[in-house]
Amino acid sequence: MDDRLKIGFFCAHDPYDRRSFSGTPSYMLDALGRRDDIVLRVLGPYRRGYRGKLLSAWRRWRKTPLRGPEAGAVKELDWVIVPVSSRFIPERRGAAGPKFVHVTDATPQFLRDFYARPTSRQADLVEQTALERADLVVYSSGYMAGRALAEFGGADAAKIHAISFGLNLDALPPPPGAKPPPDPLKLIFIGKNWQTKGGIIAAEANEILNRRGIASELTVIGGRPDDPSRYGNARFLGYLDKGRAKDYRLLTRSLSQAHLFVLPTQADCTPMVVAEANAHGVPAVINEIGGISSLVREGENGFLMDPGSDAAAYADKIARILSDRPGFDALAAGSYEYCRNNLTWDAWARDMIALIRRDPEKARHSRIAGREAG
């Protein structure tokens, strides 16, 4: 008897395109496809012009025949996972048919508050409707799950959970060896928006360390200040496209050579660049804001800073980390292990399927639902 769960996957973004929504739906789909305890079916015509055809496809998807060896085995789906596609959570009619999981990383209000993104009030209504219709709602952080409960009055707390998103890399790098002595110390900052991501604080912290006699270099990927020359010990590489082999090699080389990832971000949801740094054995020193506490376990894969921390506070923290070399080596090794066990898409798929298999009322008390709550 085949007791595998029959899982559908439907997304408003093309899950076969690594460029679509930063590749998140694509990596989700790949991770689910690697599991041998489910039968996976992708719903929707993913081809050129597919966006205009999604709604009609959604309405008729039950009538679409399956292809491949599972065609005869899958008569009906148990669950449908719908990532970052609020408007496509259908209204349930009776108990028959699959249940639906709404997966997302932010509420519209959060995008307005923290990113000044011009989402409309209609977006709030769409999101609230998705929360009401879905059988499970899974956010990428406990922080965002809490915001959803606060923003959408009457939301059913029993079905709202948090599971960290995964690392958007095709493969986890091999375990890194011991880091070379920090002489000089190599810091790395990655963020497109220099101001919002706290680039000035990172650069000034680097300068403070050097003035204190701690030889330090900062590599900056993404954003640039108006006058890069004012930061003498910083190297600005600009934006690196992971889809280009040359840029990808430079990014991974920069990460593998770094000792610490520094991100004094002023506004963030769940920046998976933390996992990218951890995957190269690089602990994070980062502001505790948004859902970041869901990504960083204090002393295991990095350290959380108060959102009001200035450059001197960052320099103090970095100096303390370096003062204990055995402790730093353990932190670097622990960062890789934490990423492998908690911040990959395989870990996301593992926790997602485990949550689906459990009764939602009981699952809210489980490690999966509870590890990121608060």
Side-chain angles (χ1 to χ4, degrees):
M1 180 179 177
D2 189 351
D3 62 352
R4 292 178 296 172
L5 280 174
K6 301 170 184 66
I7 303 292
F9 188 90
F10 189 90
C11 185
H13 303 272
D14 188 346
Y16 297 114
D17 185 354
R18 288 285 199 251
R19 298 167 297 179
S20 183
F21 202 76
S22 301
T24 292
S26 179
Y27 286 106
M28 282 183 178
L29 182 61
D30 285 355
L32 290 168
R34 286 191 289 270
R35 297 194 62 84
D36 59 11
D37 59 344
I38 67 172
V39 176
L40 183 64
R41 175 181 177 184
V42 182
L43 310 173
Y46 296 105
R47 53 181 178 267
R48 181 171 296 180
Y50 78 93
R51 286 181 184 273
K53 303 172 184 175
L54 276 175
L55 190 55
S56 61
W58 186 241
R59 287 169 176 162
R60 68 173 187 271
W61 66 264
R62 287 194 194 186
K63 300 178 182 179
T64 304
L66 294 172
R67 298 190 179 94
E70 303 293 348
V74 183
K75 302 294 185 181
E76 296 180 1
L77 297 174
D78 298 311
W79 288 82
V80 178
I81 296 173
V82 187
V84 288
S85 305
S86 305
R87 67 187 182 278
F88 289 108
I89 302 293
E91 184 177 359
R92 292 286 303 279
R93 291 185 173 88
K99 296 181 179 181
F100 293 86
V101 188
H102 173 41
V103 182
T104 189
D105 65 342
T107 66
Q109 185 63 50
F110 175 86
L111 297 178
R112 285 193 292 270
D113 290 346
F114 283 82
Y115 292 108
R117 198 173 296 176
T119 60
S120 67
R121 294 299 174 182
Q122 179 65 21
D124 294 305
L125 179 60
V126 170
E127 188 69 14
Q128 183 162 12
T129 301
L131 265 64
E132 293 169 353
R133 291 179 173 180
D135 297 275
L136 285 174
V137 180
V138 180
Y139 286 92
S140 61
S141 70
Y143 168 81
M144 201 57 63
R147 277 193 67 114
L149 287 170
E151 291 174 15
F152 299 107
D156 184 357
K159 66 181 180 182
I160 295 180
H161 304 265
I163 300 175
S164 292
F165 278 5
L167 174 68
N168 285 355
L169 291 177
D170 290 338
L172 190 68
K179 292 288 181 181
D183 186 23
L185 168 66
K186 294 189 175 182
L187 305 176
I188 189 166
F189 167 94
I190 303 175
K192 289 183 180 179
N193 190 311
W194 175 255
Q195 190 75 30
T196 302
K197 296 291 185 176
I200 294 175
I201 295 174
E204 290 181 348
N206 180 58
E207 295 296 315
I208 291 171
L209 289 168
N210 278 282
R211 288 198 296 270
R212 293 179 181 177
I214 300 174
S216 176
E217 299 173 353
L218 175 67
T219 296
V220 177
I221 295 173
R224 292 173 63 90
D226 294 334
D227 182 14
S229 63
R230 65 176 291 194
Y231 303 108
N233 288 341
R235 181 175 63 137
F236 295 88
L237 301 183
Y239 171 73
L240 298 181
D241 182 354
K242 286 188 287 190
R244 298 176 57 189
K246 182 179 178 181
D247 284 3
Y248 184 73
R249 286 194 299 268
L250 180 55
L251 172 63
T252 56
R253 184 168 64 248
S254 299
L255 280 168
S256 63
Q257 293 174 348
H259 293 98
L260 289 170
F261 170 59
V262 182
L263 192 69
T265 179
Q266 307 301 299
D268 247 308
C269 182
T270 45
M272 294 313 296
V273 68
V274 171
E276 201 162 337
N278 286 173
H280 292 84
V282 184
V285 182
I286 187 169
N287 268 356
E288 184 176 7
I289 198 168
I292 288 172
S293 61
S294 293
L295 301 175
V296 176
R297 184 169 294 176
E298 188 84 3
E300 190 167 342
N301 66 325
F303 291 94
L304 297 167
M305 301 288 290
D306 183 90
S309 298
D310 59 12
Y314 269 83
D316 291 343
K317 186 66 174 181
I318 292 167
R320 283 196 295 272
I321 294 171
L322 291 180
S323 67
D324 178 9
R325 181 57 196 268
F328 169 76
D329 290 341
L331 181 66
S335 295
Y336 179 84
E337 290 302 317
Y338 188 83
C339 176
R340 183 171 65 178
N341 294 329
N342 300 280
L343 301 179
T344 65
W345 284 115
D346 284 336
W348 174 87
R350 174 199 67 205
D351 288 358
M352 177 64 71
I353 297 305
L355 178 61
I356 285 173
R357 283 190 178 277
R358 300 175 186 183
D359 181 273
E361 277 295 320
K362 296 177 181 177
R364 63 176 168 158
H365 301 298
S366 71
R367 182 187 65 83
I368 296 168
R371 70 176 187 177
E372 296 188 39

